Amino acid sequence: MALQWAETPQARMQVQGKALEYACWGPPPDQAPTLVLLHEGLGSVAQWKGLPQALAKATGFGVFAYSRAGYGASDSVALPRPLDYMTREAEETLGAVMDAAGIMQAVLLGHSDGATIATIYGGSVSDMRVRGLVLIAPHFFAEASGLDAIHAAGTAYREGDLRAKLAKYHRDVDVAFHGWHDAWTDPDFTKWNVADVIDHLRIPVLAIQGRDDPYGTVAQIDEIETRIYAPIETVILEGCGHAPHLEKPDVTLAAIHEFCARLWRLEQQEVAIA
């Protein structure tokens, strides 16, 4: 194995000169497919809460999660982040992380920024290891309502208790927050749009969106359905905000389980030779 496959607190892997924290659950990559978890713009390994364990139990897949540089217990980064930081993470780093983890067959499961990174990877990088995408609250273009919510988060960070809450999870909380917030609130970010990567997806996709998500509307899901040429399943959850896996865990887990089970049944089918 390329690294120790175990749920080891504060385990770190070396990727591109950075030490990144990671954790693993369930069977290793040489025994089962792997769900690779890509966290949100203020997330980390720990902030997935009980989802990785639940996924491993429900799907029988291995589950691998890591904190991107600048988050959790991973090495820090210089600020400001470039406005194309999600594209850079997808095209320059994610493949190297999966190499270091020994990933052999994967479903990328991303939340928010992580879902965008997963989509960019699936649509931009030729990697036969990746067999499907699970996108939770993805975003492909800036929306005025989402930018308003990010400005509000900035106020909560400066004047409220958001900084204290995030400091429980991030070694350098100011880098974690400002790397995300300051990119999204840059005036030029209103023009940010990566939806063209959807056109190049050729693997099945499950997209999950909360109807009441302050950071992105169902227009993001509509964009996938309009542009994609691969199989797509969507789940729109009423009375749910930005984190369906935490706010509606049962229905979210069931949807992911069914998607993965169906995907792997298709993978295992023998192709008849005429």
Side-chain angles (χ1 to χ4, degrees):
M1 290 298 301
L3 48 71
Q4 181 185 6
W5 191 267
E7 186 183 349
T8 306
Q10 302 298 300
R12 284 152 71 86
M13 61 195 298
Q14 292 291 326
V15 178
Q16 299 175 330
K18 296 285 188 182
L20 305 180
E21 73 164 337
Y22 75 91
C24 316
W25 298 262
D30 59 348
Q31 297 179 17
T34 306
L35 279 159
V36 177
L37 306 192
L38 305 170
H39 63 73
E40 63 175 311
L42 294 177
S44 67
V45 169
Q47 286 163 270
W48 287 108
K49 306 293 187 180
L51 181 67
Q53 297 94 323
L55 286 170
K57 181 178 179 180
T59 65
F61 286 18
V63 179
F64 172 82
Y66 75 102
S67 296
R68 298 191 292 275
Y71 295 99
S74 293
D75 283 354
S76 193
V77 295
L79 297 183
R81 285 189 183 273
L83 301 191
D84 64 345
Y85 70 92
M86 287 175 275
T87 296
R88 295 191 188 200
E89 181 71 25
E91 295 182 348
E92 300 174 9
T93 304
L94 178 54
V97 169
M98 291 197 289
D99 290 344
I103 303 300
M104 301 172 70
Q105 294 178 307
V107 173
L108 302 182
L109 187 159
H111 173 221
S112 193
D113 276 16
T116 306
I117 292 166
T119 309
I120 296 170
Y121 193 86
S124 301
V125 179
S126 179
D127 188 343
M128 294 299 292
R129 293 175 295 184
V130 177
R131 309 303 180 85
L133 304 178
V134 176
L135 310 177
I136 302 176
H139 35 247
F140 307 105
F141 51 87
E143 296 182 89
S145 58
L147 296 177
D148 288 345
I150 293 169
H151 280 287
T155 301
Y157 190 82
R158 293 188 303 271
E159 302 174 8
D161 61 356
L162 181 57
R163 188 180 190 280
K165 289 179 178 179
L166 292 174
K168 300 174 184 176
Y169 300 105
H170 302 286
R171 176 176 295 169
D172 192 336
V173 66
D174 290 332
V175 165
F177 182 80
H178 287 291
W180 167 78
H181 171 272
D182 294 0
W184 279 85
T185 56
D186 185 291
D188 286 339
F189 208 87
T190 58
K191 297 176 286 188
W192 175 78
N193 190 314
V194 295
D196 60 335
V197 300
I198 300 169
D199 301 340
H200 303 286
L201 292 175
R202 296 297 183 268
I203 51 178
V205 173
L206 168 65
I208 303 173
Q209 176 73 34
R211 179 77 69 182
D212 302 327
D213 185 349
Y215 294 101
T217 71
V218 294
Q220 305 288 340
I221 306 303
D222 293 341
E223 190 78 10
I224 307 174
E225 293 185 309
T226 299
R227 303 184 73 137
I228 197 167
Y229 289 91
I232 175 71
E233 302 171 36
T234 62
V235 177
I236 307 299
L237 298 175
E238 304 296 334
C240 181
H242 189 57
H245 56 294
L246 301 179
E247 299 172 49
K248 302 282 187 178
D250 292 343
V251 65
T252 300
L253 181 63
I256 297 170
H257 170 220
E258 292 169 8
F259 175 78
C260 290
R262 185 162 50 252
L263 180 63
W264 240 254
R265 282 197 302 271
L266 293 173
E267 287 279 339
Q268 299 305 311
Q269 285 180 356
E270 294 184 1
V271 177
I273 301 177

